[in-house]
């Protein structure tokens, strides 16, 4: 018994932006970007919203529109979806949640919907939370069958969607980050089955980001609060444990102390990253998560047929393959045309793996990711 993946889809915005396009306005080149990251193009949502992208990916996973992968090849009844989790760091709104917006647009009358933020490892966390809720519901169902009381919502099917418009969070003057990210969505439909193993094991881990190696601050405007001293009218700033709610002079002093660039970026709520530190974390986090999940599932890594990693940098994937002692060919690498799409990335790459036919029924498949937080995780499932 377990949560089985029965549908998968992805969606991309129309606008393709090449490395050469970026080189027109930042000091970079196709050669630098491609050799350092494996990225050639990325998609940028000009017209599309996070809701548009998430909806399209979900419709494909539900078999409502062409282009997705569906286990039984049938269109799923919207009333049968009990849960919708959306992983995103770039929702269209703070309230309603991105998941609530998707639920309404998709017309899922019975789904409970909420968002989950685990940055780029979001889809691993989302799949684990969704499958845990389906599993608890199945146990509850058994209790009810034995004459006991229901203690939670009955859930059999869960939509897990990653949808990102990351390029809204990118500082287009910072060549160290703006060349890396792209927009897109991926979706998976999980179904609880009494006679299928589905997800075999999971592993999640958070490591404190004490050096702020990967942050995207939030800017809270207090200027309309009538009792705010004039000094705080400029707003309130918070970033990774640092909370600034201070007169302009203090902020100016902090700016001088901390370095202008970081504080400027904090005020603008852009992605700020120390690339090399994240690279180092990524390779060890992916190795640890992949090994741990195989151990938990009692499946040797050598038996895994396909590894779908977070698509942050092709070099990170190659390093991870080397550290794990497995062939690079085992990895689904989709980064060249889409860049890093954060919480959507693993699900989009999984959709590519299904579309190319490299995942066959019963194959053990490993999903592994890492991200800001610092989050890391892996899921091992039987296809
Ligand atoms: O989803 C999780 C988030 N992110 C990641 O996983 C990213 C992890 N890190 C990385 O992928 C890599 O560290 C980067 C791709 C971000 C950077 O590659 P790197 O090999 O670590 O380069 P670097 O930061 O050490 O920079 C090397 C040089 C520097 O110039 P100097 O100081 O040697 O003169 C940079 O200023 O490359 C320069 N540089 C660029 N040059 C051309 C940085 N970005 C660019 C650029 N084009 N876009």
């Amino acid at each position: 018994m377990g949560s089985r993946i029965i549908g998968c889809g992805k969606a991309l915005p129309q606008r393709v932006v090449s490395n050469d396009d970026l080189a027109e306005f930042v000091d970079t080149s196709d050669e630098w970007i491609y050799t350092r990251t494996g990225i050639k193009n990325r998609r940028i949502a000009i017209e599309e919203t996070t809701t548009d992208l998430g909806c399209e990916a979900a419709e494909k996973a539900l078999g409502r529109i062409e282009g997705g992968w569906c286990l039984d090849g049938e269109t799923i009844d919207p009333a049968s979806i009990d849960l919708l989790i959306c992983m995103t760091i770039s929702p269209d709104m703070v309230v309603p949640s991105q998941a609530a917006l998707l639920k309404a647009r998709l017309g899922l009358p019975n789904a409970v919907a909420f968002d989950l933020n685990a940055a780029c490892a979001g889809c691993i966390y989302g799949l684990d939370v969704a499958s845990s809720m389906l599993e608890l519901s199945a146990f509850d169902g058994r209790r009810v069958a034995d004459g006991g009381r229901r203690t939670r919502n009955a859930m059999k099917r869960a939509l897990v969607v990653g949808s990102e418009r990351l390029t809204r969070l990118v500082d287009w003057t910072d060549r160290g980050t703006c060349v890396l990210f792209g927009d897109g969505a991926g979706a998976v439909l999980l179904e609880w089955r009494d006679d299928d193993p589905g997800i075999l094991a999971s592993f999640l881990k958070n490591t404190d980001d004490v050096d702020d190696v990967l942050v995207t601050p939030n800017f809270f405007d207090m200027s309309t609060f009538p009792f705010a001293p004039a000094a705080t009218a400029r707003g309130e700033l918070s970033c990774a444990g640092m909370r600034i709610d201070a007169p302009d002079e203090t902020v100016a002093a902090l700016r001088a102390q901390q370095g202008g660039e970081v504080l400027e970026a904090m005020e603008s709520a852009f992605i700020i990253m120390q690339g090399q530190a994240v690279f180092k974390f990524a390779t060890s986090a992916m190795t640890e998560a992949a090994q741990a999940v195989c151990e938990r599932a009692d499946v040797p890594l050598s038996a895994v047929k396909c590894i779908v990693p977070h698509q942050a940098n092709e070099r990170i994937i190659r390093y991870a393959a080397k550290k794990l002692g497995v062939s690079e060919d085992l990895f689904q690498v989709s980064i060249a045309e889409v860049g890093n799409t954060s919480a959507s990335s693993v699900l989009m790459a999984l959709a590519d793996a299904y579309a190319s036919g490299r995942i066959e029924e019963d194959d053990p498949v490993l999903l592994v990711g890492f991200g800001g937080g610092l989050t890391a995780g892996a899921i091992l499932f039987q296809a």
Side-chain angles (χ1 to χ4, degrees):
M1 69 185 78
S3 296
R4 179 155 191 195
I5 294 178
I6 63 163
C8 187
K10 75 167 190 182
L12 288 167
Q14 289 294 315
R15 179 68 182 269
V16 180
V17 175
S18 69
N19 293 342
D20 287 334
D21 292 335
L22 294 181
E24 284 181 23
F25 64 91
V26 277
D27 182 13
T28 190
S29 65
D30 175 51
E31 201 266 333
W32 191 96
I33 301 170
Y34 186 63
T35 53
R36 300 273 178 150
T37 69
I39 300 169
K40 278 267 169 210
N41 296 299
R42 73 282 299 137
R43 298 294 184 97
I44 296 193
I46 311 288
E47 301 288 335
E48 302 89 346
T49 62
T50 305
T51 310
D52 293 334
L53 295 169
C55 253
E56 188 185 324
E59 301 253 33
K60 287 178 182 166
L62 295 171
R64 285 186 187 176
I65 55 174
E66 296 272 302
W69 170 86
C70 300
L71 179 67
D72 299 323
E74 60 187 50
T75 307
I76 302 295
D77 174 9
S80 72
I81 309 297
D82 306 301
L83 172 66
L84 193 168
I85 301 180
C86 183
M87 297 79 64
T88 185
I89 59 166
S90 51
D92 287 333
M93 297 195 186
V94 175
V95 178
S97 68
Q98 187 57 57
L101 293 172
L102 287 172
K103 168 187 147 50
R105 177 87 74 84
L106 288 163
L108 309 177
N110 301 316
V112 172
F114 61 90
D115 287 357
L116 184 154
N117 175 354
C120 303
C123 55
I124 308 287
Y125 281 59
L127 281 170
D128 198 27
V129 171
S131 66
S132 304
M133 290 177 78
L134 297 187
E135 186 165 349
L136 280 172
S137 169
F139 280 120
D140 211 36
R142 246 169 277 145
R143 189 187 302 120
V144 173
D146 289 342
R149 262 202 241 164
R150 178 162 297 289
T151 63
R152 58 186 63 245
N153 288 18
M155 292 183 176
K156 200 161 181 266
R157 281 180 171 161
L159 247 182
V160 182
V161 184
S163 190
E164 298 280 24
R165 268 182 82 194
L166 281 188
T167 57
R168 287 190 304 177
L169 303 176
V170 161
D171 176 357
W172 291 105
T173 64
D174 174 14
R175 67 177 182 172
T177 52
C178 77
V179 302
L180 304 174
F181 299 100
D183 301 328
V188 149
L189 179 61
L190 285 181
E191 180 177 84
W192 180 264
R193 293 197 168 182
D194 290 330
D195 50 0
D196 264 338
I199 291 178
L200 302 170
S202 68
F203 172 85
L204 305 179
K205 180 171 174 178
N206 276 62
T207 305
D208 296 341
D209 185 4
V210 286
D211 295 320
D212 297 343
V213 298
L214 183 48
V215 296
T216 305
N218 218 343
F219 182 72
F220 302 102
D221 184 6
M222 284 291 285
S223 59
T224 57
F225 179 56
F227 307 118
T232 60
R234 58 166 299 282
E236 181 185 303
L237 213 55
S238 80
C239 173
M242 199 180 347
R243 196 173 173 85
I244 304 166
D245 180 2
D248 283 349
E249 315 82 72
T250 313
V251 173
L254 267 170
R255 181 170 284 129
Q257 225 177 56
Q258 305 273 342
E261 270 177 37
V262 170
L263 277 162
E264 289 298 337
M266 281 164 60
E267 280 171 318
S268 312
F270 291 140
I271 297 169
I272 310 166
M273 187 177 70
Q274 296 172 33
Q276 286 188 0
V278 177
F279 195 107
K280 207 168 152 211
F281 164 73
T283 46
S284 59
M286 291 227 292
T287 312
E288 182 188 8
Q291 284 167 338
V293 81
C294 285
E295 204 177 305
R296 284 184 180 172
D298 199 18
V299 171
L301 196 55
S302 56
V304 171
K305 290 286 181 347
C306 177
I307 302 178
V308 185
H310 172 42
Q311 312 282 315
N313 186 325
E314 197 177 332
R315 282 193 298 140
I316 292 178
I317 298 172
R318 274 195 248 120
Y319 268 85
K322 202 166 156 202
K323 277 180 118 175
L324 288 167
V326 296
S327 163
E328 287 172 23
D329 297 342
L330 215 54
F331 286 76
Q332 173 67 36
V333 182
S334 300
I335 192 170
E337 294 304 314
V338 294
N340 180 347
T341 57
S342 191
S344 309
S345 128
V346 173
L347 298 188
M348 284 170 59
L350 181 62
D352 290 342
Y354 275 116
S356 68
R358 71 182 289 176
I359 297 179
E360 289 178 8
E361 196 150 355
D362 293 336
D363 277 356
V365 178
L366 175 64
L367 311 180
V368 60
F370 64 91
L374 295 164
T375 52
I379 294 263
L380 189 68
F381 71 93
Q382 189 171 320

